[in-house]
Protein backbone atom coordinates (compact mmCIF):
# COMPACT_ATOMS: atom_id res chain seq x y z
CA UNK A 1 0.00 0.00 0.00
CA UNK A 2 1.39 3.38 -1.03
CA UNK A 3 1.40 5.69 1.96
CA UNK A 4 2.46 8.66 -0.14
CA UNK A 5 0.73 11.86 -1.11
CA UNK A 6 -2.93 11.83 -2.12
CA UNK A 7 -5.61 14.48 -2.21
CA UNK A 8 -7.19 12.76 0.79
CA UNK A 9 -4.01 13.10 2.88
CA UNK A 10 -3.60 16.65 1.61
CA UNK A 11 -7.07 17.67 2.85
CA UNK A 12 -6.57 15.84 6.16
CA UNK A 13 -3.34 17.77 6.63
CA UNK A 14 -5.05 20.98 5.64
CA UNK A 15 -7.82 20.47 8.18
CA UNK A 16 -5.16 19.70 10.81
CA UNK A 17 -3.61 23.06 9.90
CA UNK A 18 -7.01 24.72 10.34
CA UNK A 19 -7.31 23.07 13.78
CA UNK A 20 -3.82 24.29 14.75
CA UNK A 21 -4.71 27.82 13.61
CA UNK A 22 -7.85 27.74 15.75
CA UNK A 23 -5.93 26.32 18.72
CA UNK A 24 -3.57 29.29 18.55
CA UNK A 25 -5.99 32.07 17.65
CA UNK A 26 -9.00 31.31 19.85
CA UNK A 27 -7.21 31.53 23.23
CA UNK A 28 -5.20 34.58 22.12
CA UNK A 29 -8.33 36.43 21.01
CA UNK A 30 -9.80 35.96 24.48
CA UNK A 31 -6.83 37.83 26.01
CA UNK A 32 -7.65 40.98 24.00
CA UNK A 33 -4.09 41.17 22.64
CA UNK A 34 -5.64 41.81 19.24
CA UNK A 35 -8.99 41.72 17.52
CA UNK A 36 -10.49 41.46 14.05
CA UNK A 37 -12.51 44.54 13.20
CA UNK A 38 -14.78 45.97 10.56
CA UNK A 39 -17.52 48.49 10.06
CA UNK A 40 -20.50 46.81 11.65
CA UNK A 41 -20.48 43.20 12.75
CA UNK A 42 -17.69 40.94 11.49
CA UNK A 43 -19.23 38.01 9.56
CA UNK A 44 -18.53 34.29 10.06
CA UNK A 45 -17.22 34.82 13.58
CA UNK A 46 -16.91 32.03 16.12
CA UNK A 47 -15.61 33.05 19.54
CA UNK A 48 -14.29 36.31 18.06
CA UNK A 49 -12.46 34.52 15.22
CA UNK A 50 -13.61 35.13 11.63
CA UNK A 51 -13.57 31.71 9.93
CA UNK A 52 -12.56 33.17 6.56
CA UNK A 53 -9.14 33.87 8.10
CA UNK A 54 -8.44 30.13 7.96
CA UNK A 55 -8.30 30.46 4.18
CA UNK A 56 -6.30 33.69 4.25
CA UNK A 57 -3.79 32.19 6.70
CA UNK A 58 -3.18 28.87 4.93
CA UNK A 59 -3.00 29.60 1.21
CA UNK A 60 0.37 31.39 1.30
CA UNK A 61 2.31 28.69 3.16
CA UNK A 62 0.74 26.00 0.98
CA UNK A 63 1.64 27.87 -2.20
CA UNK A 64 5.21 28.13 -0.91
CA UNK A 65 5.30 24.37 -0.23
CA UNK A 66 3.78 23.60 -3.64
CA UNK A 67 6.40 25.72 -5.42
CA UNK A 68 9.24 24.10 -3.51
CA UNK A 69 7.87 20.65 -4.32
CA UNK A 70 7.11 21.33 -7.97
CA UNK A 71 10.35 23.07 -8.95
CA UNK A 72 13.05 22.20 -6.38
CA UNK A 73 15.81 22.53 -8.96
CA UNK A 74 14.97 26.17 -9.60
CA UNK A 75 16.36 27.30 -6.25
CA UNK A 76 19.97 26.33 -6.85
CA UNK A 77 23.06 28.37 -7.51
CA UNK A 78 22.49 32.12 -7.45
CA UNK A 79 18.71 31.55 -7.08
CA UNK A 80 19.16 29.94 -3.65
CA UNK A 81 18.98 33.44 -2.16
CA UNK A 82 15.44 33.77 -3.51
CA UNK A 83 14.34 31.19 -0.92
CA UNK A 84 14.37 34.00 1.63
CA UNK A 85 11.75 35.89 -0.37
CA UNK A 86 9.57 32.95 -1.38
CA UNK A 87 7.54 32.59 1.86
CA UNK A 88 7.00 36.34 2.11
CA UNK A 89 5.92 36.74 -1.51
CA UNK A 90 3.71 33.61 -1.46
CA UNK A 91 2.01 34.64 1.78
CA UNK A 92 1.50 38.27 0.79
CA UNK A 93 0.19 37.45 -2.67
CA UNK A 94 -2.23 34.80 -1.41
CA UNK A 95 -3.40 37.02 1.45
CA UNK A 96 -4.28 39.71 -1.07
CA UNK A 97 -5.82 37.34 -3.65
CA UNK A 98 -7.90 35.45 -1.10
CA UNK A 99 -8.67 38.27 1.30
CA UNK A 100 -9.41 41.13 -1.07
CA UNK A 101 -13.18 40.53 -1.26
CA UNK A 102 -13.63 40.47 2.50
CA UNK A 103 -11.06 43.22 3.16
CA UNK A 104 -12.94 45.48 0.75
CA UNK A 105 -16.38 45.00 2.26
CA UNK A 106 -15.20 45.08 5.88
CA UNK A 107 -13.59 48.45 5.41
CA UNK A 108 -16.37 50.11 3.45
CA UNK A 109 -18.79 51.87 5.76
CA UNK A 110 -21.74 51.77 3.35
CA UNK A 111 -21.76 47.95 3.01
CA UNK A 112 -24.40 46.21 5.11
CA UNK A 113 -24.33 42.81 6.81
CA UNK A 114 -25.39 40.95 3.63
CA UNK A 115 -22.52 42.55 1.71
CA UNK A 116 -20.02 41.66 4.44
CA UNK A 117 -21.24 38.03 4.42
CA UNK A 118 -21.03 37.94 0.63
CA UNK A 119 -17.43 39.20 0.75
CA UNK A 120 -16.56 36.60 3.39
CA UNK A 121 -18.12 33.80 1.33
CA UNK A 122 -16.27 34.91 -1.81
CA UNK A 123 -13.02 34.91 0.18
CA UNK A 124 -13.72 31.35 1.39
CA UNK A 125 -14.53 30.27 -2.16
CA UNK A 126 -11.32 31.74 -3.59
CA UNK A 127 -9.35 30.14 -0.76
CA UNK A 128 -10.92 26.73 -1.38
CA UNK A 129 -10.27 26.94 -5.12
CA UNK A 130 -6.62 27.88 -4.58
CA UNK A 131 -6.08 25.24 -1.89
CA UNK A 132 -7.58 22.61 -4.16
CA UNK A 133 -5.40 23.78 -7.06
CA UNK A 134 -2.23 23.62 -4.94
CA UNK A 135 -3.04 20.08 -3.82
CA UNK A 136 -3.74 18.96 -7.38
CA UNK A 137 -0.53 20.62 -8.60
CA UNK A 138 1.51 18.71 -6.02
CA UNK A 139 -0.27 15.46 -6.90
CA UNK A 140 0.27 16.04 -10.63
CA UNK A 141 3.97 16.75 -10.08
CA UNK A 142 4.30 13.63 -7.94
CA UNK A 143 2.69 11.53 -10.70
CA UNK A 144 5.05 13.06 -13.28
CA UNK A 145 8.06 12.16 -11.14
CA UNK A 146 6.80 8.63 -10.62
CA UNK A 147 6.37 8.20 -14.39
CA UNK A 148 9.97 9.26 -14.81
CA UNK A 149 10.98 6.68 -12.21
CA UNK A 150 12.23 9.32 -9.79
CA UNK A 151 11.46 9.57 -6.12
CA UNK A 152 10.16 13.09 -5.30
CA UNK A 153 12.39 13.50 -2.25
CA UNK A 154 15.37 12.22 -4.23
CA UNK A 155 14.78 14.76 -7.00
CA UNK A 156 14.85 17.57 -4.45
CA UNK A 157 18.07 16.21 -2.92
CA UNK A 158 19.70 15.72 -6.35
CA UNK A 159 18.91 19.29 -7.34
CA UNK A 160 21.21 20.56 -4.58
CA UNK A 161 24.27 19.05 -6.25
Amino acid sequence: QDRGFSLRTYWIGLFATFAADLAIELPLLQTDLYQYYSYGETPMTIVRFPIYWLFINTTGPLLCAAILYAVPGYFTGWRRGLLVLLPVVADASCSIAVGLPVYTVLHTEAVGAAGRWFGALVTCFIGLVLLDAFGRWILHRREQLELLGAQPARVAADSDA
Side-chain angles (χ1 to χ4, degrees), residues 96-129:
I96 292 168
V98 175
L100 191 60
V102 78
Y103 298 155
T104 301
V105 297
L106 292 181
H107 298 96
T108 304
E109 196 169 3
V111 174
R116 288 191 295 276
W117 272 88
F118 179 74
L121 288 169
V122 171
T123 282
C124 292
F125 176 75
I126 293 169
L128 277 172
V129 168

Side-chain angles (χ1 to χ4, degrees), residues 72-116:
Y74 182 80
F75 297 99
T76 59
W78 69 269
R79 292 188 198 105
R80 188 177 295 268
L82 298 175
L83 285 170
V84 174
L85 297 175
L86 182 61
V88 175
V89 172
D91 193 53
S93 60
C94 284
S95 291
I96 292 168
V98 175
L100 191 60
V102 78
Y103 298 155
T104 301
V105 297
L106 292 181
H107 298 96
T108 304
E109 196 169 3
V111 174
R116 288 191 295 276

Side-chain angles (χ1 to χ4, degrees), residues 1 4 32 37 39 42 44-45 48 50 57 59 64 71 77 85-86 92-93 97 103 113 125 127 133 135 137 149 161:
Q1 176 181 0
D32 291 325
Y37 60 91
Y39 286 110
T42 303
M44 292 184 154
T45 302
R48 301 162 93 181
N57 288 342
T59 50
C64 183
V71 289
L85 297 175
L86 182 61
S93 60
Y103 298 155
F125 176 75
W137 184 26

